[in-house]
Amino acid sequence: MSVQPKTGREWHLVARPHGWPKPEDFALRETAVPEPGPGQILVRNIHLSVDPYMRGRMNDVKSYTPPFQLDQPMEGGAVGEVIASNADTVAVGDHVLHGLGWREYAVVDAKRTAKVDPEIAPLSAYLGVLGMPGLTAYAGLFEVAAFKEGDTVFVSGAAGAVGSQVGQMAKIKGAARVIGSAGSDEKVKLLVEEYGFDAAFNYKNGPVAAQLKEAAPDGIDVYFDNVGGEHLEAALSSFNVHGRATICGMIAQYNATEPTPAPRNLAHVIGKRLRLQGILVGDHAALQPQFVAEVGEWLREGKLQYRETVVEGIENAYDAFVGLLRGENTGKMIVSFAN
Ligand code: NAP
Protein backbone atom coordinates (compact mmCIF):
# COMPACT_ATOMS: atom_id res chain seq x y z
CA MET A 1 0.00 0.00 0.00
CA SER A 2 1.32 3.46 -0.86
CA VAL A 3 2.00 5.92 1.91
CA GLN A 4 0.46 9.40 1.60
CA PRO A 5 3.39 11.68 0.65
CA LYS A 6 3.76 14.78 2.85
CA THR A 7 5.24 17.02 0.17
CA GLY A 8 5.68 17.08 -3.60
CA ARG A 9 7.30 19.33 -6.17
CA GLU A 10 5.32 21.42 -8.64
CA TRP A 11 6.16 24.03 -11.26
CA HIS A 12 4.79 27.53 -10.70
CA LEU A 13 4.70 30.38 -13.17
CA VAL A 14 6.23 33.30 -11.30
CA ALA A 15 6.43 35.91 -14.07
CA ARG A 16 4.74 36.24 -17.45
CA PRO A 17 7.28 35.62 -20.24
CA HIS A 18 7.83 38.42 -22.71
CA GLY A 19 8.95 36.72 -25.92
CA TRP A 20 10.80 33.47 -25.30
CA PRO A 21 10.29 32.02 -21.81
CA LYS A 22 13.26 32.39 -19.44
CA PRO A 23 14.17 30.14 -16.50
CA GLU A 24 13.44 32.98 -14.02
CA ASP A 25 9.79 33.04 -15.19
CA PHE A 26 9.31 29.65 -13.49
CA ALA A 27 9.99 28.05 -10.11
CA LEU A 28 10.00 24.42 -8.99
CA ARG A 29 8.55 24.52 -5.48
CA GLU A 30 8.01 21.89 -2.81
CA THR A 31 4.55 22.14 -1.25
CA ALA A 32 2.34 20.09 1.06
CA VAL A 33 0.27 17.37 -0.61
CA PRO A 34 -3.32 17.66 0.64
CA GLU A 35 -5.41 14.61 1.49
CA PRO A 36 -8.10 13.88 -1.09
CA GLY A 37 -11.58 15.14 -0.09
CA PRO A 38 -14.91 13.44 -0.86
CA GLY A 39 -15.05 12.24 -4.46
CA GLN A 40 -11.35 13.00 -4.93
CA ILE A 41 -8.31 10.86 -5.62
CA LEU A 42 -4.57 11.32 -5.06
CA VAL A 43 -2.50 10.54 -8.15
CA ARG A 44 1.26 9.94 -8.33
CA ASN A 45 2.02 11.37 -11.74
CA ILE A 46 4.20 9.23 -14.00
CA HIS A 47 4.22 11.14 -17.30
CA LEU A 48 3.51 14.81 -17.93
CA SER A 49 2.68 16.46 -21.20
CA VAL A 50 4.27 19.72 -22.31
CA ASP A 51 2.39 21.28 -25.22
CA PRO A 52 2.73 24.38 -27.39
CA TYR A 53 -0.68 25.78 -26.25
CA MET A 54 0.80 26.22 -22.75
CA ARG A 55 2.81 29.16 -24.04
CA GLY A 56 -0.47 31.00 -24.67
CA ARG A 57 -1.68 30.27 -21.14
CA MET A 58 1.41 32.03 -19.78
CA ASN A 59 0.13 35.35 -21.19
CA ASP A 60 -2.45 37.38 -19.33
CA VAL A 61 -4.87 37.59 -22.23
CA LYS A 62 -8.43 36.45 -22.74
CA SER A 63 -8.42 33.24 -24.76
CA TYR A 64 -10.26 29.95 -25.09
CA THR A 65 -8.51 28.73 -21.90
CA PRO A 66 -7.83 30.98 -18.90
CA PRO A 67 -4.25 32.11 -18.27
CA PHE A 68 -2.10 30.28 -15.71
CA GLN A 69 -2.18 32.10 -12.37
CA LEU A 70 1.09 33.46 -11.04
CA ASP A 71 2.58 31.58 -8.06
CA GLN A 72 0.21 28.68 -8.65
CA PRO A 73 1.02 25.28 -10.14
CA MET A 74 0.64 25.18 -13.91
CA GLU A 75 -1.78 22.69 -15.43
CA GLY A 76 -1.53 20.23 -18.29
CA GLY A 77 -2.14 16.65 -19.31
CA ALA A 78 -0.73 13.92 -17.08
CA VAL A 79 -1.07 10.20 -16.47
CA GLY A 80 -0.39 8.58 -13.16
CA GLU A 81 -1.22 5.92 -10.62
CA VAL A 82 -3.94 6.38 -8.03
CA ILE A 83 -2.41 6.08 -4.54
CA ALA A 84 -5.43 7.13 -2.45
CA SER A 85 -9.10 7.27 -3.36
CA ASN A 86 -12.24 8.73 -1.82
CA ALA A 87 -14.26 7.96 -4.94
CA ASP A 88 -16.33 4.82 -5.59
CA THR A 89 -15.46 4.80 -9.26
CA VAL A 90 -11.66 4.78 -8.98
CA ALA A 91 -9.52 2.33 -7.00
CA VAL A 92 -6.00 2.56 -5.63
CA GLY A 93 -3.71 1.12 -8.30
CA ASP A 94 -5.81 2.38 -11.21
CA HIS A 95 -4.12 4.55 -13.82
CA VAL A 96 -5.78 7.78 -14.85
CA LEU A 97 -5.43 10.61 -17.34
CA HIS A 98 -6.16 14.06 -15.93
CA GLY A 99 -5.39 17.77 -16.30
CA LEU A 100 -3.18 18.52 -13.29
CA GLY A 101 0.28 18.06 -14.74
CA TRP A 102 3.47 20.02 -13.97
CA ARG A 103 3.59 18.37 -10.49
CA GLU A 104 4.56 15.10 -8.84
CA TYR A 105 1.28 14.51 -6.98
CA ALA A 106 -2.19 15.67 -7.91
CA VAL A 107 -5.39 15.71 -5.88
CA VAL A 108 -8.16 15.69 -8.42
CA ASP A 109 -11.92 15.11 -8.59
CA ALA A 110 -12.39 11.54 -9.83
CA LYS A 111 -15.04 12.68 -12.29
CA ARG A 112 -12.45 14.88 -14.00
CA THR A 113 -10.23 11.90 -14.79
CA ALA A 114 -10.35 9.09 -17.34
CA LYS A 115 -9.10 5.60 -16.59
CA VAL A 116 -6.36 4.36 -18.92
CA ASP A 117 -5.08 0.83 -19.35
CA PRO A 118 -1.30 0.21 -19.50
CA GLU A 119 -2.04 -3.27 -20.91
CA ILE A 120 -3.50 -1.74 -24.08
CA ALA A 121 -0.83 0.90 -24.71
CA PRO A 122 2.14 2.39 -22.85
CA LEU A 123 0.85 5.04 -20.43
CA SER A 124 2.66 7.87 -22.25
CA ALA A 125 0.71 7.06 -25.44
CA TYR A 126 -2.42 8.46 -23.76
CA LEU A 127 -0.74 11.89 -23.87
CA GLY A 128 0.25 11.56 -27.52
CA VAL A 129 -0.79 9.17 -30.25
CA LEU A 130 -3.90 7.98 -28.36
CA GLY A 131 -4.48 11.29 -26.59
CA MET A 132 -5.16 14.95 -27.27
CA PRO A 133 -2.61 15.41 -30.12
CA GLY A 134 -3.78 12.23 -31.86
CA LEU A 135 -7.42 13.32 -31.68
CA THR A 136 -6.42 16.76 -32.98
CA ALA A 137 -4.83 15.14 -36.02
CA TYR A 138 -7.79 12.82 -36.60
CA ALA A 139 -10.52 15.45 -36.17
CA GLY A 140 -8.55 18.13 -37.99
CA LEU A 141 -7.92 15.98 -41.03
CA PHE A 142 -11.16 14.06 -41.37
CA GLU A 143 -13.77 16.39 -39.86
CA VAL A 144 -12.42 19.92 -40.32
CA ALA A 145 -10.48 19.54 -43.59
CA ALA A 146 -13.00 16.98 -44.87
CA PHE A 147 -10.15 14.93 -46.33
CA LYS A 148 -11.10 12.61 -49.16
CA GLU A 149 -9.29 9.84 -50.99
CA GLY A 150 -7.10 11.20 -53.77
CA ASP A 151 -6.34 14.51 -52.02
CA THR A 152 -2.81 15.88 -51.96
CA VAL A 153 -2.05 16.89 -48.38
CA PHE A 154 0.58 19.24 -47.00
CA VAL A 155 1.30 19.30 -43.26
CA SER A 156 3.69 21.58 -41.39
CA GLY A 157 5.26 20.64 -38.08
CA ALA A 158 5.21 17.24 -39.72
CA ALA A 159 7.59 15.44 -37.37
CA GLY A 160 5.76 16.61 -34.24
CA ALA A 161 3.04 14.92 -32.22
CA VAL A 162 0.10 16.17 -34.29
CA GLY A 163 1.79 16.55 -37.68
CA SER A 164 3.35 13.08 -37.82
CA GLN A 165 -0.09 11.54 -37.27
CA VAL A 166 -1.79 13.78 -39.84
CA GLY A 167 0.54 12.70 -42.65
CA GLN A 168 0.32 9.00 -41.86
CA MET A 169 -3.46 9.07 -41.43
CA ALA A 170 -3.79 10.75 -44.82
CA LYS A 171 -1.65 8.02 -46.41
CA ILE A 172 -3.64 5.25 -44.72
CA LYS A 173 -6.89 6.75 -46.06
CA GLY A 174 -5.69 6.99 -49.63
CA ALA A 175 -4.09 10.40 -50.14
CA ALA A 176 -2.66 10.83 -53.62
CA ARG A 177 0.42 12.52 -52.17
CA VAL A 178 1.53 13.65 -48.70
CA ILE A 179 4.14 16.35 -48.19
CA GLY A 180 5.60 17.38 -44.85
CA SER A 181 7.85 20.16 -43.65
CA ALA A 182 10.05 20.01 -40.58
CA GLY A 183 13.02 21.81 -39.08
CA SER A 184 15.90 19.37 -39.54
CA ASP A 185 17.27 17.02 -42.18
CA GLU A 186 16.96 14.10 -39.72
CA LYS A 187 13.25 14.81 -39.29
CA VAL A 188 12.79 15.04 -43.07
CA LYS A 189 14.49 11.66 -43.47
CA LEU A 190 12.21 10.13 -40.83
CA LEU A 191 9.10 11.44 -42.60
CA VAL A 192 10.00 9.91 -45.93
CA GLU A 193 11.82 6.74 -44.86
CA GLU A 194 9.73 5.64 -41.87
CA TYR A 195 6.40 7.42 -42.00
CA GLY A 196 5.82 6.96 -45.73
CA PHE A 197 5.47 10.63 -46.72
CA ASP A 198 5.89 11.06 -50.49
CA ALA A 199 8.05 14.15 -50.06
CA ALA A 200 9.35 16.32 -47.25
CA PHE A 201 11.60 19.34 -46.87
CA ASN A 202 13.50 21.24 -44.20
CA TYR A 203 11.93 24.70 -43.99
CA LYS A 204 15.26 26.08 -42.70
CA ASN A 205 16.99 25.15 -45.96
CA GLY A 206 15.21 27.72 -48.17
CA PRO A 207 11.96 29.56 -48.84
CA VAL A 208 8.93 27.44 -47.99
CA ALA A 209 6.96 28.49 -51.08
CA ALA A 210 9.66 27.30 -53.50
CA GLN A 211 10.28 24.05 -51.62
CA LEU A 212 6.55 23.31 -51.48
CA LYS A 213 6.08 23.99 -55.21
CA GLU A 214 8.87 21.55 -55.98
CA ALA A 215 7.43 18.90 -53.66
CA ALA A 216 3.85 19.39 -54.90
CA PRO A 217 4.11 20.28 -58.60
CA ASP A 218 0.38 19.62 -59.13
CA GLY A 219 -0.68 21.70 -56.13
CA ILE A 220 -2.27 20.75 -52.81
CA ASP A 221 -5.88 20.11 -51.80
CA VAL A 222 -5.51 20.08 -48.01
CA TYR A 223 -3.16 22.03 -45.77
CA PHE A 224 -2.90 21.13 -42.09
CA ASP A 225 -1.32 24.19 -40.50
CA ASN A 226 0.65 23.80 -37.28
CA VAL A 227 2.97 26.72 -37.92
CA GLY A 228 1.34 29.77 -39.58
CA GLY A 229 3.41 32.60 -41.10
CA GLU A 230 5.49 31.73 -44.13
CA HIS A 231 4.05 28.20 -44.23
CA LEU A 232 0.47 29.42 -44.50
CA GLU A 233 1.42 31.88 -47.20
CA ALA A 234 3.15 29.10 -49.17
CA ALA A 235 0.13 26.83 -48.83
CA LEU A 236 -2.20 29.56 -50.13
CA SER A 237 0.00 29.85 -53.23
CA SER A 238 0.10 26.09 -53.80
CA PHE A 239 -3.59 25.42 -53.19
CA ASN A 240 -5.72 23.98 -55.96
CA VAL A 241 -9.25 25.29 -56.46
CA HIS A 242 -11.54 24.38 -53.51
CA GLY A 243 -8.59 23.65 -51.23
CA ARG A 244 -9.25 23.29 -47.48
CA ALA A 245 -6.98 24.29 -44.62
CA THR A 246 -7.25 23.19 -41.01
CA ILE A 247 -5.73 25.98 -38.97
CA CYS A 248 -4.54 24.05 -35.95
CA GLY A 249 -1.60 26.06 -34.61
CA MET A 250 0.71 28.96 -35.40
CA ILE A 251 3.79 28.02 -33.42
CA ALA A 252 6.03 30.32 -35.49
CA GLN A 253 4.47 33.28 -33.67
CA TYR A 254 3.87 32.00 -30.12
CA ASN A 255 6.90 33.90 -28.79
CA ALA A 256 6.50 36.97 -30.99
CA THR A 257 6.60 40.31 -29.17
CA GLU A 258 5.08 42.26 -32.08
CA PRO A 259 2.00 41.43 -34.17
CA THR A 260 3.00 39.18 -37.04
CA PRO A 261 2.11 40.00 -40.67
CA ALA A 262 -0.94 38.38 -42.24
CA PRO A 263 -0.40 36.23 -45.35
CA ARG A 264 0.25 38.71 -48.15
CA ASN A 265 -1.56 36.50 -50.64
CA LEU A 266 -4.84 36.02 -48.76
CA ALA A 267 -6.74 37.03 -51.90
CA HIS A 268 -6.15 33.47 -53.20
CA VAL A 269 -9.08 32.54 -50.94
CA ILE A 270 -11.39 34.24 -53.40
CA GLY A 271 -10.12 33.07 -56.74
CA LYS A 272 -9.49 29.51 -55.58
CA ARG A 273 -12.66 29.39 -53.40
CA LEU A 274 -10.60 28.17 -50.43
CA ARG A 275 -11.92 27.23 -47.00
CA LEU A 276 -9.71 27.99 -43.99
CA GLN A 277 -11.14 26.68 -40.73
CA GLY A 278 -9.73 26.72 -37.21
CA ILE A 279 -9.91 23.75 -34.89
CA LEU A 280 -10.13 23.40 -31.13
CA VAL A 281 -9.77 19.75 -30.27
CA GLY A 282 -12.17 20.12 -27.34
CA ASP A 283 -15.02 20.62 -29.82
CA HIS A 284 -14.46 17.13 -31.19
CA ALA A 285 -14.78 15.03 -28.02
CA ALA A 286 -17.66 13.09 -29.58
CA LEU A 287 -15.15 11.55 -32.02
CA GLN A 288 -13.11 10.04 -29.17
CA PRO A 289 -14.55 6.47 -29.28
CA GLN A 290 -14.22 6.26 -33.07
CA PHE A 291 -10.70 7.76 -32.89
CA VAL A 292 -9.50 5.30 -30.24
CA ALA A 293 -11.01 2.32 -32.08
CA GLU A 294 -9.59 3.21 -35.49
CA VAL A 295 -6.18 4.50 -34.41
CA GLY A 296 -5.81 1.64 -31.91
CA GLU A 297 -6.34 -0.79 -34.79
CA TRP A 298 -3.76 1.01 -37.00
CA LEU A 299 -1.25 0.82 -34.14
CA ARG A 300 -1.90 -2.90 -33.61
CA GLU A 301 -1.55 -3.55 -37.34
CA GLY A 302 1.70 -1.56 -37.46
CA LYS A 303 0.24 0.85 -40.04
CA LEU A 304 0.79 3.92 -37.85
CA GLN A 305 4.17 4.77 -36.34
CA TYR A 306 4.87 7.20 -33.54
CA ARG A 307 7.85 8.57 -31.66
CA GLU A 308 8.22 10.21 -28.28
CA THR A 309 10.99 12.38 -26.93
CA VAL A 310 11.21 11.61 -23.23
CA VAL A 311 12.86 13.98 -20.77
CA GLU A 312 13.48 12.42 -17.37
CA GLY A 313 12.77 14.19 -14.09
CA ILE A 314 10.32 16.85 -12.97
CA GLU A 315 13.25 19.23 -12.48
CA ASN A 316 13.74 19.14 -16.27
CA ALA A 317 10.12 19.96 -17.21
CA TYR A 318 10.92 23.60 -17.97
CA ASP A 319 13.76 22.55 -20.30
CA ALA A 320 11.43 20.07 -21.98
CA PHE A 321 8.84 22.79 -22.57
CA VAL A 322 11.30 25.27 -24.07
CA GLY A 323 12.92 22.43 -26.01
CA LEU A 324 9.52 21.69 -27.56
CA LEU A 325 9.21 25.29 -28.75
CA ARG A 326 12.72 25.04 -30.22
CA GLY A 327 12.02 21.79 -32.04
CA GLU A 328 14.15 19.49 -29.88
CA ASN A 329 11.39 16.88 -29.93
CA THR A 330 10.54 14.25 -32.50
CA GLY A 331 6.95 13.21 -31.94
CA LYS A 332 5.36 13.86 -28.57
CA MET A 333 7.45 15.62 -25.92
CA ILE A 334 6.94 13.81 -22.61
CA VAL A 335 8.34 14.45 -19.14
CA SER A 336 8.66 11.20 -17.27
CA PHE A 337 9.46 10.54 -13.61
CA ALA A 338 8.63 8.73 -10.42
CA ASN A 339 9.78 5.36 -11.73
P1 NAP B 1 4.94 19.38 -31.83
O1 NAP B 1 4.71 19.56 -33.28
O2 NAP B 1 5.19 18.01 -31.30
O3 NAP B 1 6.12 20.31 -31.32
C1 NAP B 1 6.24 21.61 -31.75
C2 NAP B 1 7.11 21.66 -33.03
O4 NAP B 1 6.94 22.92 -33.66
C3 NAP B 1 8.60 21.59 -32.74
O5 NAP B 1 9.03 20.28 -32.62
C4 NAP B 1 9.20 22.30 -33.96
O6 NAP B 1 9.58 21.34 -34.93
C5 NAP B 1 8.04 23.13 -34.50
N1 NAP B 1 8.37 24.55 -34.54
C6 NAP B 1 8.78 25.35 -33.54
N2 NAP B 1 8.99 26.60 -33.98
C7 NAP B 1 8.73 26.60 -35.31
C8 NAP B 1 8.77 27.58 -36.33
N3 NAP B 1 9.14 28.86 -36.07
N4 NAP B 1 8.44 27.22 -37.59
C9 NAP B 1 8.08 25.94 -37.87
N5 NAP B 1 8.02 24.97 -36.94
C10 NAP B 1 8.34 25.29 -35.67
O7 NAP B 1 3.69 20.00 -31.06
P2 NAP B 1 2.19 19.49 -31.16
O8 NAP B 1 1.70 19.25 -29.79
O9 NAP B 1 2.10 18.40 -32.15
O10 NAP B 1 1.44 20.78 -31.70
C11 NAP B 1 1.59 21.15 -33.07
C12 NAP B 1 0.74 22.39 -33.34
O11 NAP B 1 -0.62 22.08 -33.14
C13 NAP B 1 1.05 23.57 -32.42
O12 NAP B 1 0.94 24.75 -33.16
C14 NAP B 1 -0.04 23.49 -31.39
O13 NAP B 1 -0.30 24.74 -30.79
C15 NAP B 1 -1.18 22.98 -32.23
N6 NAP B 1 -2.24 22.25 -31.52
C16 NAP B 1 -3.50 22.76 -31.63
C17 NAP B 1 -4.56 22.10 -31.06
C18 NAP B 1 -5.94 22.65 -31.24
O14 NAP B 1 -6.90 22.13 -30.67
N7 NAP B 1 -6.07 23.69 -32.04
C19 NAP B 1 -4.34 20.92 -30.31
C20 NAP B 1 -3.03 20.43 -30.24
C21 NAP B 1 -1.99 21.11 -30.84
P3 NAP B 1 10.64 21.65 -36.11
O15 NAP B 1 11.91 21.01 -35.68
O16 NAP B 1 10.02 21.01 -37.28
O17 NAP B 1 10.76 23.15 -36.21
Side-chain angles (χ1 to χ4, degrees):
M1 204 177 88
S2 301
V3 178
Q4 158 96 21
K6 286 196 171 40
T7 62
R9 289 173 295 170
E10 54 189 31
W11 278 97
H12 291 200
L13 184 69
V14 298
R16 301 210 177 273
H18 180 71
W20 279 86
K22 301 181 293 302
E24 53 272 31
D25 299 329
F26 304 83
L28 182 61
R29 291 177 172 158
E30 184 141 5
T31 60
V33 176
E35 301 222 355
Q40 291 189 319
I41 56 176
L42 172 62
V43 183
R44 178 181 66 88
N45 281 337
I46 298 172
H47 302 292
L48 306 180
S49 183
V50 286
D51 296 276
Y53 77 85
M54 293 170 174
R55 177 64 190 84
R57 292 195 70 186
M58 292 168 189
N59 300 331
D60 191 11
V61 291
K62 201 167 182 301
S63 182
Y64 59 93
T65 42
F68 291 137
Q69 298 298 299
L70 293 182
D71 293 309
Q72 295 293 322
M74 294 186 289
E75 296 172 358
V79 281
E81 183 188 356
V82 178
I83 58 172
S85 175
N86 276 335
D88 298 338
T89 49
V90 183
V92 169
D94 282 350
H95 292 92
V96 291
L97 170 70
H98 64 93
L100 297 185
W102 287 98
R103 68 198 81 186
E104 288 178 297
Y105 298 98
V107 172
V108 56
D109 290 343
K111 61 177 186 294
R112 296 180 67 98
T113 68
K115 276 191 213 179
V116 291
D117 188 346
E119 301 292 323
I120 294 177
L123 286 173
S124 56
Y126 295 98
L127 298 174
V129 66
L130 283 174
M132 183 276 281
L135 179 61
T136 305
Y138 190 84
L141 183 65
F142 298 127
E143 226 165 60
V144 177
F147 167 86
K148 53 185 189 331
E149 198 179 327
D151 279 342
T152 292
V153 176
F154 171 46
V155 54
S156 54
V162 174
S164 58
Q165 302 307 306
V166 169
Q168 293 182 80
M169 287 173 180
K171 283 301 286 186
I172 291 169
K173 290 282 191 174
R177 187 167 174 79
V178 171
I179 300 120
S181 80
S184 76
D185 294 345
E186 294 72 34
K187 289 183 181 182
V188 165
K189 195 163 178 259
L190 174 75
L191 296 178
V192 176
E193 292 184 3
E194 288 190 37
Y195 293 167
F197 283 52
D198 299 286
F201 60 86
N202 179 348
Y203 66 86
K204 296 176 181 166
N205 283 351
V208 178
Q211 296 200 75
L212 178 58
K213 284 230 158 67
E214 197 181 328
D218 297 326
I220 62 171
D221 304 300
V222 168
Y223 173 46
F224 196 107
D225 191 11
N226 288 314
V227 166
E230 192 190 349
H231 276 85
L232 178 54
E233 203 169 274
L236 290 170
S237 285
S238 274
F239 259 132
N240 296 324
V241 167
H242 294 137
R244 290 96 63 205
T246 295
I247 310 296
C248 176
M250 295 203 171
I251 198 165
Q253 66 185 52
Y254 289 175
N255 291 306
T257 52
E258 299 292 333
T260 48
R264 293 164 297 180
N265 55 354
L266 198 56
H268 279 310
V269 170
I270 309 161
K272 297 182 184 182
R273 282 85 87 206
L274 304 177
R275 185 164 61 72
L276 278 56
Q277 188 179 327
I279 178 175
L280 281 183
V281 61
D283 293 346
H284 299 271
L287 265 188
Q288 178 77 15
Q290 182 188 323
F291 155 71
V292 170
E294 195 160 21
V295 171
E297 189 59 28
W298 291 337
L299 288 169
R300 270 189 297 279
E301 291 170 359
K303 285 185 180 167
L304 189 75
Q305 313 294 321
Y306 72 99
R307 292 274 178 99
E308 294 171 346
T309 298
V310 179
V311 171
E312 295 286 344
I314 189 163
E315 61 281 7
N316 295 317
Y318 163 77
D319 290 334
F321 173 65
V322 175
L324 170 80
L325 299 177
R326 289 198 192 109
E328 288 168 13
N329 60 308
T330 301
K332 182 76 191 96
M333 183 68 108
I334 299 278
V335 180
S336 198
F337 54 91
N339 288 317

